[in-house]
Amino acid sequence: MFITFEGPDGSGKTTQVQRAAARLRADGHQVLLTREPGGTAIGDQIRAVLHSMDNTAMLPNTELLLYSASRAQLVGEAIRPHLEQGGIVICDRFYDSTMAYQGYGHGLDLDTLRIITEFATGGLKPDLTLYLDIAPEDGLQRRLSAVAQGEEWNRLDDMEMAFHRRVREGYHQLIAAEPQRWVQIDGARSMDAVHDDIMQVLASRLKQMA
Ligand code: TMP
């Protein structure tokens, strides 16, 4: 089963994927927890280029191709092999981030993004996507406290508030277009409340698939 987590910056995804993976492992599941961009040695090098504050001159189409390159490597090297062995893959962001950030955020053509994504993934789609929703202003506050505790502040965090509003609106449109794949969770609540909702959704999906 292939599960992805999506959401605006500061939605708490990274903490939540770790907690969810730990719980599923404790229940005996073989879980690969990975993230985008990155998740492979090659992808992590691409991530460093994408997120570097030295690269503020990067064009949106360059950005798109680099995220897609990282994705192609991750799917081929790690995600598909793990799924083929019957395991669960949890990925912190996947191609919906490209649609939301490069498509709705930067305004790149959505049909072109779909073609490039299909090429990068070989058509692999998540079985379930959990979307942690948060208003950009609240997400920013969370990011600032995380950065104060040592997390990176990246080039995408640094985009203006209007960009982050378009990203969030983009996510809402993606959910409306494909409601059967997505579950939306209010990410503005406490980490424990969000975790409990996530585990309920995962337990019921795993039961359905058993
Ligand atoms: P994160 O690992 O902290 O979520 O940071 C990843 C950043 O990269 C985040 O700002 C969203 C952005 N991103 C895109 O713009 N497009 C993509 O396809 C992906 C995977 C991430």
Side-chain angles (χ1 to χ4, degrees), residues 9 13-14 35-37 47 51 63 67 71 92-95 97-98 101-102 143 152 154 156-157:
D9 292 277
K13 277 179 304 83
T14 305
R35 68 166 178 183
E36 280 205 348
R47 181 183 177 97
H51 288 182
E63 200 176 281
Y67 280 116
R71 181 164 306 135
D92 183 351
R93 297 195 182 280
F94 197 54
Y95 61 67
S97 287
T98 294
Y101 284 77
Q102 282 66 52
R143 289 289 299 126
E152 75 163 14
N154 68 45
L156 277 294
D157 286 312

Side-chain angles (χ1 to χ4, degrees), residues 152-166:
E152 75 163 14
W153 176 259
N154 68 45
R155 207 172 45 77
L156 277 294
D157 286 312
D158 214 47
M159 295 295 292
E160 80 273 9
M161 196 46 83
F163 174 85
H164 290 288
R165 287 203 190 94
R166 290 196 297 277

